[in-house]
Amino acid sequence: MKLIGRVLSSLFAALILTGALSLGAPAQTPPAPAAGVAAAPATDPAVDRPATDEPGLAAASLLPRDLSPWGMFSSAHVVVKAVMIGLVLASLVTWTIALAKGWELFAARRRVAAQNLLLERSNTLAEAGRALASQAQLEAAAQAALREIEMSDGIHDKASIKERLASRLERIEAALGRRMMHGTAALATIGAIAPFVGLFGTVWGIMNSFIGISKQHTTNLAIVAPGIAEALLATALGLFAAIPAVVIYNMFSRGVAGYKALCADGTAEILRIASRDLDRAESAQSSCYRAKNAAE
């Protein structure tokens, strides 16, 4: 065993010495080519490498150069184009309603506020009707109150007359509110369905992207990018149409609620004036009846 250990130690020392000598030896330079023999040209691996990216280059050639919104719209599928056009038209409808209905609501609220001031200065229903002549909104309420009192001539139950007056004025007030809300339902519709229409365009664009992948037999981004870009543009247009529609509809809902409150103030003032007229008439009849009995 000792002999085997000595032999292994000698071999290990010889290996270490040989490695040290090889590390310290100078590197040998290749011999220079003989005179008259041309040196072999150095080969460039990048030049001699076979072209393996041809599918990627072909796919990159399919990528549209113009990725602006108009460029993506021009290169989009006909279904995605239809979706985009519909969403743009919906956005135009939203802003048209916003401008037209906004001005109408603003002017109507000013008119009703001025008419309420006229009603507060009126002592009788006939005077209120003359003050509101040729004016919109509360003129119809005053005329309806006058007509109801004329139709109730000869009826001594004043409570029933006031009840019928309140019913007429309530329906006129509701009609004024419905008339002012007319046209705003389109905003609610656009705000509800525009995101889903944009999502339909998104799904269609992504589907076309996968179809392009299957046709080109490559997963290069140049094949997927156009369809994804069209899909995202459709989604953006859907949000662009939906968000303003929802915000404007909520603003109109609050504005119309304030307008209806002003109309309610006006109809309540008309009912009070009519009630005073009825009480005056009843008091006058009672005075005449008492004077007649006193004379007899």
Side-chain angles (χ1 to χ4, degrees):
M1 293 295 294
K2 292 182 179 180
L3 179 61
I4 295 174
R6 291 176 181 175
V7 172
L8 291 176
S9 300
S10 301
L11 291 174
F12 185 72
L15 289 174
I16 293 176
L17 182 59
T18 305
L21 292 175
S22 63
L23 290 174
Q28 296 181 357
T29 57
V37 179
T43 58
D44 188 357
V47 175
D48 293 344
R49 185 175 56 197
T52 58
D53 294 337
E54 291 182 358
L57 294 176
S61 64
L62 298 176
L63 183 65
R65 296 181 180 179
D66 187 9
L67 288 179
S68 63
W70 177 254
M72 288 186 288
F73 171 79
S74 301
S75 61
H77 190 271
V78 62
V79 176
V80 183
K81 283 183 179 179
V83 169
M84 292 180 183
I85 292 173
L87 291 173
V88 170
L89 292 178
S91 181
L92 291 177
V93 170
T94 297
W95 290 106
T96 301
I97 294 175
L99 294 176
K101 187 61 67 173
W103 174 254
E104 180 184 357
L105 181 60
F106 174 75
R109 292 185 64 171
R110 292 191 62 181
R111 286 195 299 267
V112 173
Q115 291 171 12
N116 285 340
L117 293 176
L118 294 175
L119 288 173
E120 291 177 0
R121 300 190 186 102
S122 301
N123 294 322
T124 63
L125 194 58
E127 183 180 349
R130 290 191 298 270
L132 297 177
S134 302
Q135 297 189 32
Q137 284 85 28
L138 296 181
E139 179 191 7
Q143 296 299 326
L146 286 170
R147 187 162 51 253
E148 180 61 35
I149 291 176
E150 291 176 0
M151 293 174 63
S152 301
D153 189 20
I155 298 176
H156 299 287
D157 188 3
K158 304 302 180 184
S160 63
I161 297 176
K162 294 176 183 179
E163 183 178 351
R164 287 190 294 272
L165 277 172
S167 177
R168 275 180 177 265
L169 295 176
E170 181 182 355
R171 299 321 305 161
I172 291 175
E173 176 189 339
L176 290 173
R178 287 194 303 270
R179 188 180 306 167
M180 187 55 61
M181 283 294 294
H182 182 69
T184 59
L187 298 176
T189 302
I190 293 172
I193 68 172
F196 297 100
V197 175
L199 181 62
F200 172 73
T202 301
V203 172
W204 196 275
I206 294 176
M207 183 180 67
N208 285 335
S209 298
F210 282 108
I211 292 173
I213 290 174
S214 64
K215 287 182 178 179
Q216 298 295 328
H217 303 288
T218 179
T219 57
N220 193 290
L221 185 61
I223 298 297
V224 185
I228 294 179
E230 298 164 12
L232 295 177
L233 182 60
T235 303
L237 288 176
L239 296 176
F240 180 77
I243 293 174
V246 173
V247 173
I248 294 171
Y249 179 78
N250 291 335
M251 292 176 60
F252 279 148
S253 297
R254 293 191 296 269
V256 172
Y259 169 75
K260 291 175 67 175
L262 290 174
C263 292
D265 293 340
T267 54
E269 185 65 30
I270 291 173
L271 184 60
R272 287 191 291 268
I273 294 173
S275 178
R276 286 195 293 268
D277 286 350
L278 292 173
D279 291 340
R280 290 193 193 99
E282 187 176 4
S283 298
Q285 289 177 359
S286 299
S287 299
C288 291
Y289 182 74
R290 286 194 301 268
K292 183 178 179 181
N293 289 337
E296 292 178 354

